[in-house]
Amino acid sequence: MLLMVASALAGATVTGTADHAKFDGLKGPFKSGAEVTRACLVCHTEAARQVIATRHWSWEYVNADTGQKLGKKTMLNGFCIGNRSNEPFCQSCHIGYGWKDETFDFTAEDAVDCLACHNTGDYRKLAGFAGHPPYERIEYPAKSGKFVEAVDLAKVAQQVGATSRQTCGACHYYGGGGDGVKHGDLDSSLNKAAKELDVHMAQDGLDFSCASCHEADRHKVAGSRISMTGADPHGALIRGQKTERNPASCQACHGDRPHKDGFVQAGRLNDHTRTLACQTCHIPEFARGGVPTKMNWDWSAAGRLTPEGQPCQLKDDHGHVIYDSKKGEFVLGQNVKPDYIWFDGT
């Protein structure tokens, strides 16, 4: 089972204009996440309403060109199949509390989980709990002899801050059942990235967070895997500029002629950018950080049991699961060369 934990960054220096530890309303005690949210909304009056208007909240997206309704809430996802009937597990990554079935109220402001994105450590959401953190000490997984302590909600609320790689990664690294499973270029290796892995996120380089590119406006995060910007033949965007363009594209920062004069063959390379995606040259391999990604998932192989009739898992020499009775067989890969295909941007 997946245990999502934002790395402990407790005690970090306050970089904003407010020290939340000094707010009486956050001293608690809090019995539930919803109580924390209600305390947050006393000051951040519009925050929950903004979140509710986003795809992060609804898990639903309408394609403006076709009117087709897409998103995790409605689509069959090749790796995770669908979230219907499996809500308490899938919705462990939802930025809300209590989405366990079709009765969930998507208009309830106190169901928004502020701490999921804004905690700076010591916050956990357990798979199977429909987005709730543990409110008391529990045995987890059940009958495992292992125990998880209750989250100190007041302590977490008093230490909130900006989003980080860890808070975004708690869901986006581990979606699909494990580290790096779904994407191949999003896994925990980015938390301490070297320049060779990611020049933008390298700690000894630009040290970007996810939000450096995926900048939010009223909690709407730029970029989409469903409606991608295949090409953006325009100059760089000024941060804060009001536009319908996708500010998460490479061109948003680098412009449509990114190779500077004086660079060998800069003109010829810039001509390439009219037809070739930046990633074609600049991401020659994926799953390069030491965390393998799943290249194949064969559900038809599920169901094998031990001689005693019990479900089982098989692991490779590195401890990665390659067979699960509940899920089937997996083929893992590292340093994988992409397939190159033509894409018209739609």
Side-chain angles (χ1 to χ4, degrees), residues 113-134:
D113 182 359
C114 307
L115 302 179
C117 298
H118 292 289
N119 80 84
T120 57
D122 300 326
Y123 186 66
R124 301 177 176 185
K125 291 169 71 121
L126 304 179
F129 286 73
H132 288 285

Side-chain angles (χ1 to χ4, degrees), residues 6 9 117 119-120 161-170 173 191 209-211:
L9 303 174
C117 298
N119 80 84
T120 57
T163 61
S164 65
R165 302 177 198 181
Q166 288 83 2
T167 54
C168 297
Y173 295 163
N191 286 338
S209 70
C210 304

